[in-house]
């Protein structure tokens, strides 16, 4: 199904709540697919895999992290993460260091300066930043606040769902 097939043809006709829910879910599925394709394109340009980009994103947002914490947040087996970290370190994307709170422990962080390379591809070279600015310009502040809340709650629900699947 595409959104057009779920929503009524007449824009003045108010769709049933179930159809609206299905349209939102379908739109989120499409968004996920399109963002996955964008990630693939960025990864191809940088010679990085999707999981590499996901780990770098987690490290950029939440790092530095221990390898075990990163593995848990990324939903990866620790042995799988070791290979990813080795590859990222060889490429100059991450740095490993001692955990300041436990000198025996190791933490991983995104290498300084390399994040700009990734952001440039996502936001500038792809045109995504300009497109997002244009999309947001079409909404009132209250609408953007509503959308922000919806997307945060949706991300939290996805995180919880992934944790449930990982735990079982």
């Amino acid at each position: 199904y595409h959104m057009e097939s779920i929503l009524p043809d007449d824009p003045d006709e108010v769709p049933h709540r179930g159809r609206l829910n299905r349209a939102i879910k379908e739109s989120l599925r499409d968004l996920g697919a399109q963002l996955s394709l964008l990630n693939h394109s960025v990864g191809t340009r940088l010679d990085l895999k999707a999981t590499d980009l996901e780990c770098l994103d987690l490290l950029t947002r939440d790092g530095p992290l221990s390898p075990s914490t990163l593995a848990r947040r990324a939903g990866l087996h620790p042995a799988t993460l070791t290979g990813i970290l080795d590859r990222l370190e060889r490429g100059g994307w991450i740095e490993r260091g001692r955990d300041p709170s436990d000198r025996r422990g190791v933490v991983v962080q995104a290498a300084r300066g390399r994040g700009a390379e990734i952001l440039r591809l996502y936001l500038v070279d792809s045109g995504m930043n300009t497109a997002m600015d244009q999309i947001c310009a079409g909404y009132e502040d209250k609408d953007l606040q509503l959308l922000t809340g919806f997307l945060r709650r949706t991300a939290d629900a996805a995180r919880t769902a992934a944790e449930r699947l990982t735990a079982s």
Side-chain angles (χ1 to χ4, degrees):
Y1 287 99
H2 288 294
M3 196 163 47
E4 296 83 27
S5 64
I6 295 172
L7 294 178
D9 292 332
D10 181 0
D12 293 329
E13 180 186 339
V14 178
H16 181 269
R17 180 69 173 220
R19 284 203 281 179
L20 282 174
N21 287 348
R22 284 192 307 276
I24 287 172
K25 291 172 187 174
E26 179 63 28
S27 295
L28 287 171
R29 285 179 62 207
D30 189 36
L31 174 61
Q34 298 310 316
L35 289 175
S36 180
L37 289 171
L38 177 59
N39 287 344
H40 178 74
S41 296
V42 168
T44 298
R45 288 268 187 107
L46 299 172
D47 197 28
L48 294 172
K49 298 178 181 185
T51 51
D52 299 345
L53 286 170
E54 290 167 16
C55 289
L56 282 171
D57 185 50
L58 286 167
L59 289 171
T60 300
R61 286 187 290 140
D62 304 333
L65 298 171
S66 70
S68 59
T69 300
L70 179 58
R72 189 174 58 256
R73 289 191 187 173
L76 298 169
H77 189 278
T80 302
L81 182 68
T82 299
I84 292 168
L85 293 179
D86 289 346
R87 186 171 54 249
L88 289 172
E89 189 173 39
R90 279 192 307 272
W93 292 102
I94 64 161
E95 298 167 352
R96 293 180 188 179
R98 291 281 161 219
D99 185 342
S101 64
D102 177 6
R103 299 294 298 160
R104 295 170 295 167
V106 173
V107 292
V108 182
Q109 64 185 18
R112 290 170 185 78
R114 295 298 304 267
E117 196 174 340
I118 295 172
L119 283 176
R120 188 191 78 248
L121 285 170
Y122 275 110
L123 302 178
V124 179
D125 294 359
S126 71
M128 190 65 170
N129 198 44
T130 301
M132 289 303 302
D133 287 345
Q134 290 170 348
I135 291 167
C136 289
Y139 291 90
E140 299 291 326
D141 287 355
K142 66 178 178 45
D143 297 327
L144 292 175
Q145 289 171 345
L146 177 73
L147 289 168
T148 299
F150 172 80
L151 291 170
R152 280 192 184 136
R153 291 175 64 199
T154 302
D156 289 343
R159 189 175 301 105
T160 299
E163 288 168 359
R164 281 188 189 136
L165 289 176
T166 303
S168 60

